[in-house]
Amino acid sequence: MRYRTRAGRPPHFCKRLLRRLGFARNPLVRRSDRVEGVLAGVALVIALLAVPLAVAFARADIADETAASEMQLRSRHMVTATVLTTAPEQMPVGDSAPVAATSRVTAVWHVPGGAARTGMITVPTGAASTGATTPIWLDRNGRQTTAPLTHTDAVTNGVLVATFVWLCAAGLLTGALWVARRILDHRRATRWADEWAQFAGPEAVR
């Protein structure tokens, strides 16, 4: 049921928030209700303050991963490998068994300087036939490596870090608030039972 003012309009958002937090001038509001409201308000403030903290973590992670990306771009280079052997056809075990998206095949490629290297590479299943070409990444020593990080990867990882940090903070606050509310509910129930026993007499609580 919504609160209404004398003019029939709903109260201001701030007034509704104060009522939610237990600060309304209401004789029915118990001290434990006000304590619970204060705890909820503190948890809300801490959750809001955790946002810039999460952003700071994200910026630091983006800076670190951007530096790593730049270093990898300087130390890695891409070459074209040619598949030498066709991968055996993969048959699904059952009707619902998925077919592998990649295959391991023998291929040849040339390192800087013109020397040819032969080895096993992982290629998409559709390119696992003799004569197919696929790009691979090599390090400074001509060994296979992974593709370097991109700026998009750095930003994406930073956003994930920020989200994880804030969710951890929000989870801890929610858990602490839940424990506090359980304690307050237990005290309210105990006090209610005591007051009812005083009002109705000992026979009413048997």
Side-chain angles (χ1 to χ4, degrees):
M1 180 178 180
R2 295 182 178 179
Y3 294 97
R4 296 281 180 176
T5 60
R6 293 182 180 179
R9 294 177 299 177
H12 193 268
F13 170 77
C14 294
K15 293 183 179 180
R16 296 201 305 271
L17 180 60
L18 291 176
R19 287 171 178 171
R20 288 283 186 179
L21 297 178
F23 293 105
R25 295 181 179 179
N26 190 334
L28 298 178
V29 177
R30 299 162 294 187
R31 181 180 179 182
S32 60
D33 297 330
R34 299 184 187 277
V35 172
E36 182 178 341
V38 170
L39 293 177
V42 171
L44 178 60
V45 171
I46 295 177
L48 294 177
L49 293 177
V51 173
L53 177 64
V55 172
F57 272 99
R59 289 180 176 176
D61 185 75
I62 291 174
D64 291 340
E65 299 216 18
T66 299
S69 173
E70 293 175 353
M71 183 180 65
Q72 290 178 3
L73 286 172
R74 291 193 299 267
S75 62
R76 301 179 186 184
H77 57 277
M78 187 176 64
V79 298
T80 301
T82 303
V83 178
L84 298 177
T85 56
T86 300
E89 184 178 357
Q90 299 178 0
M91 300 298 295
V93 178
D95 294 337
S96 60
V99 179
T102 59
S103 301
R104 294 283 292 173
V105 295
T106 303
V108 61
W109 60 90
H110 293 82
V111 297
R117 295 282 182 87
T118 302
M120 299 293 294
I121 63 173
T122 301
V123 297
T125 301
S129 59
T130 303
T133 59
T134 185
I136 62 172
W137 286 90
L138 305 177
D139 61 15
R140 292 176 177 174
N141 298 320
R143 294 176 301 207
Q144 292 185 59
T145 186
T146 58
L149 291 172
T150 64
H151 181 68
T152 301
D153 296 331
V155 173
T156 300
N157 293 337
V159 172
L160 292 177
V161 167
T163 303
F164 178 76
V165 170
W166 189 85
L167 288 178
C168 287
L172 291 175
L173 291 172
T174 302
L177 189 60
W178 180 83
V179 172
R181 187 171 184 178
R182 293 280 293 182
I183 295 174
L184 292 173
D185 287 341
H186 177 72
R187 291 183 178 180
R188 284 190 284 250
T190 301
R191 184 174 180 181
W192 171 257
D194 294 341
E195 292 177 352
W196 176 253
Q198 294 177 3
F199 175 77
E203 296 181 355
V205 296
R206 290 181 180 177

